[in-house]
Amino acid sequence: MSAPAAATSRPSAPALGTLRRIILFALLFTLVSLTASGVGGLLDRLFTASETIAFNDSSSLALWLALTLVGGPLGAVVFWASWRMLADPAERRATAWGIYVSAMYMTSLVTATSFGIGALASLAGGDSGSWKSSLAQALAWAGVWVWHRWILGHRGRGPEALAKVPLVLGTVLGLAIGLGAGTNALAVLFERALGTDGELAAVGVSWWRPGLGLMVWAAGGILIWWWHWVREGARGLHTKLAGVGLVAIGVAGSALLALGGAGVLLYVLLRLGLDRTDPVPAILEPAPEALAAALLGTLSWLYHARIARARPEPVPAAAQLAVSGIALAAAASGIGVVINAALATGTTRLGGTDATVLLLAGLSSLAIGGPLWWFAWRPTRPAEPHGRRIYLVLVFGISAVVALVTLLVIGFRLFEFMLGDAGGTGLLERVRAPLGLLVATGLVAGYHFALWRHDRAAAPAPAREQAPAIGEVLLVAGANARDLATAIAAHTGAVVTVLPRADGATPALEAVLPALEGLEAARVLLLAGPGERVEAIELDADTPR
């Protein structure tokens, strides 16, 4: 009777192990965070002892001491228990361990960056009020980051699941900070050079100080990006998350920044040439930030687009479709605003300048988005398979939703006008903005729906899925073997089994894939390294594992 009972209890063991890991690592995350805050508070009291001693704030001191002297030892005990369990390879492969390391790595990096760069930026900008407190917290959290960076790369107990996630997220964080702060810093410089704030840069005036703090933020972001992208090797990752980060932030985010800046800059130039109803400084006011965004966004866009083109599919196609979608949104917005401006000519407005301003804004957006969309989408080229149908359905769905919402708005305005609650404005004045948006989104939805139906009709009848030329690849490689296995599986469709070597570097993916071209075998032994050695050996299907 005891044997069946024992057998029925076995299936619950994995669930209990997962629950144990979740509780243990959640407790460890909490204790480490509290201890870091306590150490930062104590360092703050140490750095500002001469400034705060007169206030006799004993309650905050008691809090920092409790977090440090109670939370610290408890955290050490929990970490020691976790570290002992990680000697088991199954514990290292657990997803909970990878989630904890990734979460604490990014939490400590974001916190240390915010406080540390903020302290340096305050000093550079001439604000010396709270930099000591920020520096204290930065030092405490930087220690946590260094500790978990060491854990991430530990050969015996580092996580195997999600081990590359912090590298991708760190790259995205650094790029976002660098582009954002760099754009604002260049905007301050261009603002002074153009005199849009009413005064030009002059010798003996600290005109540069407002932008110096932003330059510190930009330098910090670039350093974080370089550390993860170059030093830690995120540039060579071929995982799905790395591809998403490259396309979404590196290509699409940079393109959005560049196109937004270029559109505003063209709008300013058109107003200078065709509409001088406002003073020139008022017209030039958005120009510095737009110029900075266009320059930095274009540089980042070109760099990441070149990286994306060198990756295996579907990354290049995804990058191209992302740029096409952004350009399409800009062009459609321009069409909607132009229609709005055309309808505005039939209304009576004081001053008479609204229609001209709207028309120039719409033409700017259309002039920037239209040619780029044509170049990225290329309507005359043959259809390409990678992601095209998903893109068509996505664009049609978004356009249809926007069109439905604008229809509801138009209906609301129409009934509001009919019920006599017009507020002194005519019907055309009330519906021209949503009507322009409705026409633009209707055109986009109709075009992409027609393309989707055409591709569906022209698609060949579904055939039986052919087996891949290579059934299984036994990959013998050193560093980054799992990333290489993921890329080989995506390229060949084969099942990849990794046999890691204890030493030696792994050749680049571009040097490994050609060795598999033309092979047709049930099993292939692929030797990658040491050094630049790459050799593919066809095995007999009955070769024992």
Side-chain angles (χ1 to χ4, degrees), residues 181-222:
T183 299
N184 291 330
L186 277 182
V188 172
L189 179 63
F190 293 152
E191 185 179 79
R192 288 291 180 170
L194 296 175
T196 56
D197 61 344
E199 55 181 285
L200 295 170
V203 178
V205 179
S206 300
W207 58 269
W208 44 267
R209 186 168 288 278
L212 190 57
L214 294 171
M215 288 300 297
V216 172
W217 275 100
I222 293 173

Side-chain angles (χ1 to χ4, degrees), residues 482-545:
R482 297 192 179 277
D483 297 335
L484 186 60
T486 302
I488 292 174
H491 182 74
T492 63
V495 177
V496 181
T497 302
V498 178
L499 302 175
R501 288 198 325 271
D503 58 352
T506 300
L509 177 64
E510 293 75 11
V512 175
L513 291 181
L516 298 173
E517 296 295 336
L519 293 181
E520 294 185 5
R523 303 178 71 189
V524 173
L525 175 64
L526 180 61
L527 304 176
E532 298 298 326
R533 176 194 179 193
V534 178
E535 184 178 358
I537 304 172
E538 297 184 12
L539 301 177
D540 186 79
D542 298 329
T543 302
R545 293 179 178 272

Side-chain angles (χ1 to χ4, degrees), residues 289-391:
E289 189 170 355
L291 179 59
L295 288 176
L296 291 185
T298 301
L299 291 176
S300 177
W301 176 17
L302 293 177
Y303 173 77
H304 289 95
R306 181 175 63 85
I307 298 294
R309 284 194 298 269
R311 297 288 176 89
E313 292 293 351
V315 174
Q320 191 172 12
L321 292 176
V323 174
S324 175
I326 293 173
L328 177 65
S333 301
I335 293 175
V337 175
V338 168
I339 294 175
N340 186 5
L343 295 176
T345 59
T347 62
T348 303
R349 303 284 292 178
L350 294 177
T353 60
D354 286 350
T356 303
V357 172
L358 281 175
L359 179 62
L360 296 181
L363 290 177
S364 302
S365 183
L366 183 58
I368 295 296
L372 179 61
W373 173 80
W374 186 274
F375 176 78
W377 180 246
R378 296 177 186 173
T380 58
R381 69 181 176 183
E384 295 185 0
H386 293 290
R388 177 182 170 96
R389 287 191 177 183
I390 297 177
Y391 172 82

Side-chain angles (χ1 to χ4, degrees), residues 25-288:
F25 293 134
L27 181 61
L28 181 59
F29 184 93
T30 303
L31 290 173
V32 171
S33 301
L34 294 177
T35 304
S37 300
V39 172
L42 292 179
L43 289 176
D44 180 18
R45 292 297 293 259
L46 178 63
F47 293 162
T48 61
S50 60
E51 303 171 9
T52 60
I53 191 171
F55 296 100
N56 193 22
D57 186 9
S58 58
S59 60
S60 61
L61 179 59
L63 175 61
W64 306 137
L65 288 172
L67 292 178
T68 304
L69 300 181
V70 177
L74 289 176
V77 171
V78 175
F79 176 74
W80 175 78
S82 305
W83 197 251
R84 287 190 60 188
M85 289 189 306
L86 290 169
D88 184 0
E91 296 292 335
R92 289 186 59 199
R93 292 192 296 267
T95 305
W97 175 232
I99 292 176
Y100 164 76
V101 175
S102 300
M104 183 52 73
Y105 181 99
M106 289 306 301
T107 300
S108 57
L109 177 62
V110 171
T111 309
T113 297
S114 302
F115 283 111
I117 301 180
L120 296 178
S122 298
L123 281 176
D127 182 13
S128 58
S130 60
W131 71 271
K132 294 181 180 179
S133 299
S134 298
L135 182 61
Q137 292 291 338
L139 291 175
W141 283 97
V144 176
W145 176 79
V146 171
W147 175 29
H148 285 79
R149 171 61 189 87
W150 172 78
I151 292 176
L152 189 66
H154 197 279
R155 295 179 61 89
R157 287 176 168 82
E160 294 185 7
L162 309 179
K164 304 302 181 182
V165 169
L167 306 185
V168 177
L169 297 182
T171 301
V172 170
L173 174 66
L175 182 63
I177 294 176
L179 284 179
T183 299
N184 291 330
L186 277 182
V188 172
L189 179 63
F190 293 152
E191 185 179 79
R192 288 291 180 170
L194 296 175
T196 56
D197 61 344
E199 55 181 285
L200 295 170
V203 178
V205 179
S206 300
W207 58 269
W208 44 267
R209 186 168 288 278
L212 190 57
L214 294 171
M215 288 300 297
V216 172
W217 275 100
I222 293 173
L223 178 61
I224 295 172
W225 172 83
W226 174 87
W227 176 268
H228 293 88
W229 183 251
V230 180
R231 174 68 174 76
E232 298 288 355
R235 178 173 51 184
L237 293 180
H238 293 273
T239 61
K240 292 181 179 179
L241 181 62
V244 171
L246 176 63
V247 172
I249 306 300
V251 177
S254 301
L256 186 61
L257 181 65
L259 292 181
V264 174
L265 194 59
L266 179 60
Y267 167 72
V268 171
L269 294 177
L270 289 178
R271 288 208 62 190
L272 286 175
L274 301 176
D275 181 22
R276 291 289 191 92
T277 54
D278 293 330
V280 173
I283 297 176
L284 289 175
E285 185 176 354

